Amino acid sequence: MQNFTYITRPSRVIFGRGTLSSIGREVATLGLKRVLIVSTPGQKDLAGQLATILGTGAVAIHAHAAMHTPVTVTEDALKVVREKAIDGVAAIGGGSAIGLSKAIALRSELPQLVVPTTYAGSEMTPILGETAEGRKITLADPKVVPNVVLYDVDLTLSLSSAVSAASGMNAIAHAVEALYAKDRNPVISLMAVEGISALTRALPAIVRDGQDTKARSDALYGAWLCGTCLGAVGMALHHKLCHTLGGSFGLPHAQTHAVVLPHTLAYNASAAPDMIRALAPVLGNDPAAALHKLASEIRAPKALRDLGMAEADIAAAAELVMANPYWNPRPVEFGDIRTLISRAWAGEAPQG
Ligand code: NAD
């Protein structure tokens, strides 16, 4: 047992099926009268559905959220906030919609209600990654933590199997890194194992049948737990690699996590005995191989080259990781990281 500090963040979490219909009550409890709804363009209909439920309480819809939270989009949304005297934000959709809501809250301190419909987990964290002039800057601020998180399993039934698989692997990555975080603690480690267990059980079933409500429920429950892990303890090499590949080489967020995770897990395995012990009942004695196999089973992407990364960028990516590394249980060496990225680029099996 190592010493630890455990911090909880105040947020109200509602979980179930058909819960979206109760959002009016949550808006009323927060005393909001003029809500701005934000979403990505693809979730505009969902945003409209939310506006219908809120009636006159929904003053405007801003369906322009985008991956990696571009600051220009946030500035446009803030104009709407000022012009329409908005007193609260409601986001519906994946991490992109929730990122925009958090970016608005950071600058306006408006209360937020978020309805996550992917497994990315942003709703449970004080973290915000924003992009401006081609650079991604990640900050942590309690101001961006949503006041209310409303999980409605029914809204995830429309997620494609490809998005479900990649997003599910993204969630698992949060929990895996929590198990070897420098500031790990027993409560978050319990949540991490439970979250990984729920997702590894649910994802194959979802890919077989996206309408399997039991599996959908397990996956969203797992995503909540994994997001809580991301929000509670520090992340290491895996998140550093994915932030670099996404932020500097434009690779898609969840898919990059899916490809890289078995490789970072294999890299860190020898230096993270607590993680190996904790995962043994769920993933066996070689969790990296187990996740590589899971990725095949659920048809998640397995090679960075299939996500559009050029082979010529491998060394540059390794240099960027080395330039400002996160704490990691195993020391991070340039040659090892270049090899790790090369193997992930080519879709080879993970190697410690
Ligand atoms: P996303 O929000 O772009 O959604 C992924 C895909 O799912 C999109 O194609 C979207 O149209 C689709 N989708 C969403 N809801 C759907 C629904 N109900 N039915 C059908 N399709 C639906 O991406 P994401 O992977 O959810 O989130 C990635 C973003 O979140 C990135 O910007 C990443 O940096 C950020 N993120 C932040 C944190 C944090 O703690 N700050 C954590 C995780 C992810």
Side-chain angles (χ1 to χ4, degrees):
M1 165 65 84
Q2 61 168 44
N3 294 354
F4 64 86
T5 304
Y6 176 64
I7 300 164
T8 49
R9 296 180 198 288
S11 89
R12 180 171 155 82
V13 175
I14 296 149
F15 190 100
R17 294 192 62 186
T19 49
L20 185 64
S21 60
S22 67
I23 197 164
R25 223 171 27 235
E26 301 300 325
V27 166
T29 303
L30 287 172
L32 307 180
K33 302 268 187 277
R34 301 184 63 79
V35 172
L36 171 68
I37 298 172
V38 299
S39 75
T40 40
Q43 275 58 62
K44 204 175 172 177
D45 289 351
L46 218 46
Q49 211 179 309
L50 174 50
T52 305
I53 294 170
L54 292 184
T56 52
V59 171
I61 295 177
H62 194 74
H64 304 290
M67 189 79 78
H68 304 308
T69 328
V71 171
T72 47
V73 174
T74 304
E75 283 164 355
D76 287 347
L78 283 166
K79 273 186 213 144
V80 180
V81 166
R82 284 189 296 270
E83 282 163 15
K84 306 263 184 197
I86 295 298
D87 61 7
V89 186
I92 189 159
S96 302
I98 293 167
L100 175 56
S101 172
K102 290 164 99 174
I104 295 170
L106 178 72
R107 291 158 176 88
S108 64
E109 303 203 18
L110 287 177
Q112 308 171 67
L113 302 96
V114 303
V115 184
T117 62
T118 69
Y119 308 132
S122 176
E123 63 279 1
M124 296 310 299
T125 85
I127 306 164
L128 172 65
E130 302 185 289
T131 42
E133 289 152 16
R135 285 188 61 219
K136 182 160 181 170
I137 295 168
T138 302
L139 58 89
D141 191 323
K143 267 197 287 199
V144 308
V145 177
N147 304 60
V148 176
V149 180
L150 197 146
Y151 290 104
D152 186 337
V153 175
D154 291 347
L155 302 179
T156 64
L157 295 176
S158 53
L159 277 182
S160 68
S161 64
V163 171
S164 303
S167 193
M169 292 290 282
N170 183 190
I172 291 172
H174 304 328
V176 165
E177 289 235 293
L179 288 170
Y180 54 62
K182 193 180 181 182
D183 55 351
R184 64 189 177 277
N185 69 65
V187 175
I188 291 299
S189 294
L190 286 172
M191 288 186 176
V193 174
E194 174 72 359
I196 293 168
S197 172
L199 278 156
T200 51
R201 196 170 58 231
L203 292 175
I206 287 172
V207 169
R208 279 193 299 276
D209 174 11
Q211 302 305 303
D212 179 337
T213 49
K214 168 79 175 73
R216 286 291 189 190
S217 176
D218 280 349
L220 197 58
Y221 163 70
W224 165 52
L225 295 173
C226 293
T228 304
C229 293
L230 178 68
V233 295
M235 295 292 123
L237 176 64
H238 172 77
H239 282 76
K240 177 69 194 181
L241 273 163
C242 294
H243 291 165
T244 303
L245 294 167
S248 300
F249 300 93
L251 301 193
H253 181 84
Q255 290 80 355
T256 304
H257 275 273
V259 173
V260 173
L261 180 62
H263 296 274
T264 37
L265 212 167
Y267 183 85
N268 280 332
S270 62
D274 285 359
M275 179 263 289
I276 298 293
R277 226 182 346 265
L279 286 182
V282 182
L283 293 176
N285 291 328
D286 188 348
L291 287 183
H292 192 64
K293 187 160 162 269
L294 176 70
S296 297
E297 191 183 347
I298 63 177
R299 298 190 294 279
K302 287 171 82 177
L304 294 175
R305 69 174 163 198
D306 295 342
L307 305 182
M309 184 180 183
E311 190 171 13
D313 286 336
I314 292 172
E319 269 165 28
L320 281 171
V321 169
M322 294 305 298
N324 178 20
Y326 295 178
W327 178 88
N328 193 60
R330 177 175 158 189
V332 177
E333 310 280 352
F334 175 76
D336 292 340
I337 298 306
R338 191 180 48 193
T339 304
L340 187 163
I341 300 173
S342 297
R343 294 185 70 85
W345 181 84
E348 290 168 13
Q351 203 171 60

